[in-house]
Amino acid sequence: MIFVVLVFVALVSVIVIAPVAAGVMAVRKVRRRTRAQRHGLRTEGRCIRVETVRRSGGGYATSTRRYYLFEYVTHDGRQFRFEDSAPNTTMPGDILAVSYLPEDPEGATVALPGDRTAQRELGCFLVFLGVALAIALTVAGVGVGVLSLFAAGV
């Protein structure tokens, strides 16, 4: 009986902790990106690579995602590379505005005017996280009820 309780507690912990950890990481990423766009220094960056990844199979629709690699030089002359999203028309060699914080030049971002993509993605993720946590807590509550019935000998 104690083994069943320990396994149940471990599973519920993983179900709750994993989405919370992912949520914390997503919030940090969006905050860093937003700070760089609002308060960072601006410079020019060059797209040096565009990679298109297609995923298909498993009964799901085919999806395509593009990854962009940018390179820029800070105001003090250091060179950095970073991956970020960009308009689909961006090609290697294109020059775009880059925002970065002097204390975190690795966290640079493409500075597109009015770009709220990160905030929208975070909002969708937080809704998903809320639903996942509600389901996890419901499962935990049902599990506790079932375990208490077993413990009572019903």
Side-chain angles (χ1 to χ4, degrees):
M1 179 65 178
I2 196 79
F3 177 73
V4 172
V5 171
L6 290 176
V7 169
F8 176 74
V9 169
L11 286 174
V12 169
S13 296
V14 169
I15 290 171
V16 172
I17 291 172
V20 169
V24 168
M25 289 178 6
V27 168
R28 284 184 180 169
K29 178 181 174 184
V30 170
R31 287 188 71 213
R32 183 176 72 176
R33 181 182 179 96
T34 303
R35 279 189 59 232
Q37 286 186 352
R38 288 184 182 165
H39 308 292
L41 301 175
R42 298 273 172 122
T43 188
E44 287 185 343
R46 178 180 308 272
C47 177
I48 58 173
R49 187 174 74 222
V50 178
E51 184 178 333
T52 303
V53 177
R54 294 184 196 277
R55 294 185 184 171
S56 62
Y60 297 103
T62 301
S63 66
T64 303
R65 180 168 174 123
R66 287 191 175 169
Y67 295 91
Y68 299 89
L69 182 65
F70 296 94
E71 183 175 71
Y72 77 102
V73 177
T74 62
H75 290 225
D76 60 0
R78 297 181 293 159
Q79 188 173 2
F80 289 94
R81 290 183 175 186
F82 66 98
E83 282 190 9
D84 201 2
S85 58
N88 284 337
T89 57
T90 304
M91 300 296 291
D94 287 354
I95 295 182
L96 293 151
V98 172
S99 290
Y100 71 94
L101 296 168
E103 66 272 13
D104 183 23
E106 295 89 5
T109 182
V110 173
L112 300 172
D115 182 20
R116 310 278 301 170
T117 303
Q119 288 82 0
R120 283 193 304 270
E121 287 175 356
L122 178 62
C124 291
F125 181 77
L126 290 177
V127 167
F128 167 77
L129 180 63
V131 170
L133 283 174
I135 290 169
L137 292 174
T138 302
V139 168
V142 168
V144 167
V146 169
L147 287 175
S148 66
L149 287 175
F150 279 122
V154 174

